[in-house]
Amino acid sequence: MQSSLNLEGVEQQPLKEYTEKAYLDYSMYVILDRALPQIGDGLKPVQRRIIYAMSELGLSAGQKPKKSARTVGDVIGKFHPHGDSACYEAMVLMAQDFSYRYPIVDGQGNWGSTDDPKSFAAMRYTESRLAPYSKCLLQELGQGTVDWVPNFDGTINEPVVLPARLPNLLLNGTTGIAVGLSTDVPPHNLNEVASALIHLIDNPKATVAALMKHIKGPDFPTGGELVSPRTDIKQIYATGSGTLRLRAAYKVENGDIVITSLPYQISGSKVLEQIATQMRNKKLPQVEDLRDESDHEEPTRLVISPRSNRVDKDELMSHLFSTTSLERTVRVNMNIIGLDGRPQAFDLVGLLKEWVKFRKDTVKRRLAHRLQIVVDRLHILDGLLVAYLNIDEVIKIIRTEDEPKPVLMKKFKLSDIQAEAILNLRLRNLAKLEEMKIQGEQDELNDERDILEKTLKSAARLKTLIKKEILEDAEAYGDDRRTAIVEREAAQALDETQLVSSEPVTVILSQRGFARAAKGHEVDPAALSYKSGDAYLAAAQGRSNQLAMFIDSTGRVYSVIAGTLPSARGQGEPLSSRFKPPDGAEFCGAMIGDNEQKYLLASDAGYGFIATLEDLVTRNKAGKAILRVPPGGKTVVPAPVPKDTECLIAAVSSIGRLLMFEMDDLPELAKGKGNKLINIPTKKYKAGEEKLVAAAVVPEDGDLQVYCGSRMMTIRWNDSDPYYGERALRGGLLPRGWRSVDRLVGIGPDTD
């Protein structure tokens, strides 16, 4: 069964054209009627409608506040057919003194806090009215200053823009995301902006540099410090886009660090949580205590107590600026709807010029509107004066004529308006005193008309009037700058080694590559428990905030903060989970110490050199190639070099040959193969019959401990003659039963 589709009377359109038009229409609606502000009053449509609706409800600054739900109901019922929650949130934002530099709404009740701006109470609980600052937006509304358009259902009119007497866009800033466009205008100080406007009106060709003598930079409601270089701020004002760096302000009080103001839109509780997390993770040993002492008198007072007076407080704060929200970047992107109704990017000069143009047009319309009212009133007064001068005849005409208006108009050459005004006179206004009042009012209005006409005809008078009104408003609503502009260097996080407490530790490495750190140096690593099939391989003594370094069988070195290794109460964790060694590589030794600490590095081919730990440091998980090991060879356990003393190098081969020679004969290198320690025949090495198995550094008057399994033999400094010789010799054979050496350990003369 076939069905036919009747398309008669239906408009057909290609899907491509329809979707393009539909999306373009939606995009333009979002840009022009929702997300971007208008340059004249700096408001988005929902904000403008809220302010206008509140003024229509009589909620001016001096009046008793009403429930916020009443205002929201009027706004969405008359002007803004959208969600009530979105409308109320826009209203809340204009009431929060930590969000708006100059709040437009005065709220009573819970309107949120800096810690949680969205914690405001429901609109049925809060009350609101307009703040005094709103007067500069609404004061000239009924004076013919702006155009009016029908609301969404055509029942009433609403203003296209409010006749702002100040550039509210710059003062309070704004943010918005449209389709393909976004805007981020930071707030500024009223006194500075007013001063810049006066300068621009007097000097229309003023540059950004000239205006920046008045406007130092953005001024955020929560204070803090603007630490961007002046060149960056100038670049932003010149281009209309860029980023600013904001930082918390702090002072030192009784040895504590007290944070007194936070960057814009940063929560104090969030900052405390970030610092506390670092403390819990033992990443902030410099801090002992953290407190929030904020109250009504000091809205922001976060106290950080250093662990001791030796802590560099500026260095600590620099670290916190780098790792927490105590410093943040703010984006600036001044996309605004201009006077031509089109969105465009403005720089500072262009924005202020466009607003001055708006203000001039607004003032001209206000003066012209007032002039028309004065002229109309004078016209009526002229007619009334004629009536008073001929009062008897006027009364006679009114009493005798059926249609007195045309007769009056003809008799006394009156206009329709004048005749209507005469007919509307009350009997009590016919007194002689009224004639004198009319003449007095005429004189006043004539003077006002002269002033209005002169102002409208003179550009200089108009400029003077605009400047006077700007200064009056600055005097009424201006205040001191809150955000200090201090050019500072970029925050620097502390080195990882400074973020771990300094305690003595012993780093232990097992044969299967498991590492751990035991507290203290009085630890017997061999006596600790190991996983089945595993055993002790090497240990190194240092401090928890030093880098523990591990060398693998290929000669690559890896580093990690010793304090981050697992405790020796467990059996450690595999280093392969932290690093990425080459396939088949095994971890062969551990090292730790300060940057100047030296270690003897050697391969089982019998070659080695002295290395300084500073040269071995790497953050690369794949390690750093230090010791060149021949194919098939491996690294022997590194040996620490005692400081400030003469030393002997002890090297023992797999067949029990021990050679001891002066350490000065061995070079210090940053990387490489090194020099020959002990003579191992090359052909035998290749056959795997003889290799270097261990090396140690013996300080002057110290002892060499030779370990064979669980047995240990001591060779004293004075008894080393049978094994002493030049570097690269074969050395002497150890006694029978001691030739299968596991490890060598050099012991100082003062070691028990």
Side-chain angles (χ1 to χ4, degrees):
M1 179 173 127
Q2 295 182 347
S3 62
S4 61
L5 184 63
N6 183 11
L7 297 177
E8 185 178 350
V10 177
E11 179 184 354
Q12 296 188 53
Q13 189 177 8
L15 182 61
K16 179 177 181 291
E17 292 181 11
Y18 171 77
T19 52
E20 282 183 358
K21 183 178 183 304
Y23 190 69
L24 182 61
D25 290 346
Y26 166 73
S27 302
M28 293 307 296
Y29 164 73
V30 172
I31 292 170
L32 300 178
D33 292 332
R34 183 176 292 185
L36 297 191
Q38 215 273 356
I39 197 166
D41 56 13
L43 300 172
K44 301 176 187 179
V46 64
Q47 296 170 326
R48 185 179 303 117
R49 288 162 177 166
I50 290 170
I51 295 169
Y52 176 64
M54 292 182 76
S55 70
E56 289 295 288
L57 283 170
L59 295 174
S60 58
Q63 302 301 313
K64 183 180 178 182
K66 292 181 180 177
K67 286 288 186 184
S68 301
R70 172 78 181 276
T71 300
V72 173
D74 261 36
V75 173
I76 64 177
K78 293 180 179 179
F79 309 111
H80 197 71
H82 297 281
D84 58 343
S85 60
C87 178
Y88 183 49
E89 281 195 30
M91 183 178 175
V92 168
L93 193 69
M94 293 191 290
Q96 292 176 335
D97 58 3
F98 51 85
S99 295
Y100 261 44
R101 182 64 178 82
Y102 300 96
I104 302 174
V105 175
D106 177 17
Q108 295 188 12
N110 177 13
W111 289 79
S113 65
T114 52
D115 284 341
D116 188 3
K118 301 230 180 235
S119 63
F120 50 84
M123 58 185 170
R124 61 182 178 273
Y125 298 122
T126 61
E127 295 182 340
S128 56
R129 61 184 173 187
L130 290 169
Y133 170 79
S134 66
K135 187 178 178 181
C136 74
L137 298 173
L138 296 163
Q139 187 172 338
E140 301 173 358
L141 188 58
Q143 301 176 23
T145 50
V146 295
D147 295 327
W148 296 73
V149 294
N151 68 339
F152 64 90
D153 61 2
T155 55
I156 52 177
N157 290 333
E158 62 176 313
V160 173
V161 64
L162 297 182
R165 291 163 59 96
L166 292 170
N168 179 62
L169 178 62
L170 263 186
L171 301 183
N172 276 320
T174 190
T175 60
I177 299 176
V179 178
L181 284 175
S182 67
T183 183
D184 294 277
V185 182
H188 290 76
N189 183 270
L190 197 159
N191 288 332
E192 292 182 4
V193 173
S195 178
L197 285 172
I198 301 298
H199 180 81
L200 184 63
I201 292 171
D202 289 334
N203 304 276
K205 294 184 179 180
T207 62
V208 170
L211 292 181
M212 283 189 66
K213 292 180 180 178
H214 304 273
I215 300 177
K216 309 298 182 184
D219 186 22
F220 295 91
T222 54
E225 291 181 349
L226 176 57
V227 297
S228 295
R230 182 174 173 80
T231 52
D232 289 1
I233 300 174
K234 184 177 179 180
Q235 182 69 14
I236 288 171
Y237 283 149
T239 61
S241 64
T243 56
L244 297 167
R245 282 194 299 120
L246 299 181
R247 186 179 287 184
Y250 71 94
K251 60 183 179 180
V252 178
E253 191 177 284
N254 299 324
D256 291 337
I257 299 170
V258 180
I259 298 170
T260 55
S261 61
L262 294 169
Y264 185 49
Q265 294 179 332
I266 291 299
S267 159
S269 60
K270 178 183 178 182
V271 169
L272 289 175
E273 183 180 344
Q274 290 173 335
I275 299 175
T277 300
Q278 292 191 36
M279 293 172 66
R280 281 195 303 271
N281 294 338
K282 297 182 179 180
K283 293 292 184 68
L284 210 56
Q286 296 91 334
V287 176
E288 182 177 30
D289 190 24
L290 193 63
R291 301 187 303 277
D292 185 355
E293 296 181 357
S294 307
D295 54 26
H296 290 292
E297 293 183 3
E298 295 183 87
T300 302
R301 183 180 170 84
L302 310 180
V303 182
I304 301 172
S305 297
R307 191 167 294 278
S308 71
N309 292 330
R310 295 190 301 275
V311 173
D312 187 325
K313 298 174 179 61
D314 291 334
E315 192 178 70
L316 171 59
M317 286 305 297
S318 179
H319 170 75
L320 293 177
F321 288 141
S322 176
T323 58
T324 70
S325 299
L326 286 173
E327 180 175 311
R328 65 165 298 204
T329 56
V330 176
R331 185 177 60 179
V332 178
N333 190 18
M334 295 197 285
N335 287 319
I336 305 157
I337 299 174
L339 297 180
D340 58 359
R342 296 181 178 181
Q344 56 183 298
F346 284 91
D347 59 11
L348 180 64
V349 175
L351 191 153
L352 289 179
K353 280 185 176 179
E354 188 88 345
W355 186 85
V356 169
K357 183 180 177 183
F358 164 80
R359 183 62 189 155
K360 283 181 179 178
D361 181 61
T362 303
V363 173
K364 281 182 180 179
R365 292 180 66 167
R366 186 190 81 205
L367 296 177
H369 178 77
R370 178 60 187 168
L371 179 60
Q372 188 60 48
I373 292 174
V374 169
V375 170
D376 291 345
R377 180 61 180 166
L378 283 171
H379 180 64
I380 291 172
L381 290 177
D382 289 342
L384 292 178
L385 195 57
V386 168
Y388 279 112
L389 294 174
N390 302 277
I391 190 65
D392 294 334
E393 197 169 352
V394 168
I395 292 173
K396 181 180 177 182
I397 291 173
I398 293 172
R399 291 187 67 188
T400 58
E401 296 293 336
D402 293 335
E403 294 290 338
K405 183 190 282 190
V407 178
L408 287 172
M409 292 171 64
K410 184 177 181 181
K411 177 72 177 175
F412 300 108
K413 297 181 180 179
L414 301 173
S415 67
D416 184 272
I417 295 173
Q418 288 173 321
E420 188 67 32
I422 292 170
L423 292 173
N424 288 333
L425 277 173
R426 294 182 180 181
L427 288 174
R428 66 183 177 187
N429 291 337
L430 299 179
K432 183 67 177 174
L433 186 62
E434 289 297 323
E435 182 181 338
M436 297 172 63
K437 285 183 179 179
I438 289 172
Q439 290 175 340
E441 187 178 350
Q442 278 182 320
D443 293 340
E444 290 178 4
L445 291 177
N446 279 321
D447 291 342
E448 185 179 354
R449 180 178 61 183
D450 290 343
I451 294 173
L452 290 170
E453 288 176 343
K454 287 179 181 178
T455 304
L456 283 169
K457 291 177 182 177
S458 169
R461 282 176 176 263
L462 188 65
K463 285 182 180 180
T464 301
L465 177 61
I466 292 173
K467 290 192 294 183
K468 178 186 174 184
E469 292 176 348
I470 289 173
L471 290 174
E472 286 176 354
D473 289 339
E475 180 69 24
Y477 309 115
D479 57 6
D480 295 332
R481 166 174 279 277
R482 296 182 190 174
T483 301
I485 299 179
V486 187
E487 190 169 328
R488 300 190 189 278
E489 295 181 1
Q492 187 70 40
L494 291 173
D495 186 82
E496 201 175 355
T497 59
Q498 296 176 270
L499 299 177
V500 179
S501 58
S502 179
E503 299 173 344
V505 292
T506 301
V507 176
I508 301 148
L509 177 67
S510 75
Q511 294 176 1
R512 291 175 58 182
F514 281 73
R516 47 187 151 166
K519 288 185 178 180
H521 293 164
E522 310 299 325
V523 179
D524 182 2
L528 297 177
S529 65
Y530 294 86
K531 291 180 179 291
S532 177
D534 200 2
Y536 166 73
L537 175 64
Q541 295 179 344
R543 304 197 69 82
S544 56
N545 63 339
Q546 294 176 333
L547 284 174
M549 301 185 187
F550 301 93
I551 189 166
D552 69 10
S553 55
T554 67
R556 301 187 73 84
V557 173
Y558 312 80
S559 57
V560 64
I561 297 294
T564 64
L565 291 172
S567 167
R569 287 192 294 267
Q571 294 174 327
E573 69 174 31
L575 290 177
S576 57
S577 65
R578 290 188 180 231
F579 309 123
K580 296 179 180 177
D583 292 340
E586 301 174 356
F587 288 96
C588 297
M591 298 171 282
I592 191 171
D594 55 33
N595 288 340
E596 291 74 32
Q597 176 66 52
K598 294 178 171 55
Y599 268 81
L600 168 64
L601 302 184
S603 68
D604 61 1
Y607 288 82
F609 58 89
I610 303 297
T612 305
L613 288 188
E614 187 176 18
D615 297 328
L616 310 185
V617 175
T618 177
R619 302 294 182 186
N620 193 342
K621 287 189 175 183
K624 180 179 182 181
I626 298 295
L627 178 65
R628 198 184 317 150
V629 179
K634 62 182 292 188
T635 306
V636 300
V637 176
V641 176
K643 295 181 179 179
D644 304 325
T645 182
E646 292 185 11
C647 297
L648 294 177
I649 301 290
V652 64
S653 72
S654 55
I655 64 171
R657 286 195 169 273
L658 173 65
L659 175 65
M660 299 178 72
F661 60 89
E662 299 291 340
M663 189 179 75
D664 293 341
D665 294 342
L666 201 63
E668 291 188 16
L669 302 175
K671 60 188 297 186
K673 178 181 178 181
N675 288 4
K676 185 177 288 189
L677 304 182
I678 185 171
N679 187 9
I680 297 177
T682 304
K683 59 180 183 179
K684 292 188 177 181
Y685 172 72
K686 287 183 178 179
E689 293 183 3
E690 185 179 1
K691 295 182 180 180
L692 180 70
V693 293
V697 180
V698 184
E700 186 177 11
D701 297 328
D703 300 332
L704 175 66
Q705 294 180 343
V706 181
Y707 286 87
C708 296
S710 60
R711 298 179 301 144
M712 186 266 288
M713 175 179 67
T714 300
I715 299 176
R716 301 196 178 279
W717 178 278
N718 297 329
D719 299 332
S720 60
D721 289 349
Y723 312 106
Y724 182 83
E726 296 292 327
R727 179 183 62 79
L729 295 180
R730 285 288 285 156
L733 275 171
L734 287 167
R736 291 184 181 276
W738 293 93
R739 295 177 182 175
S740 194
V741 178
D742 294 318
R743 56 193 172 101
L744 299 177
V745 178
I747 302 296
D750 300 327
T751 305
D752 294 333

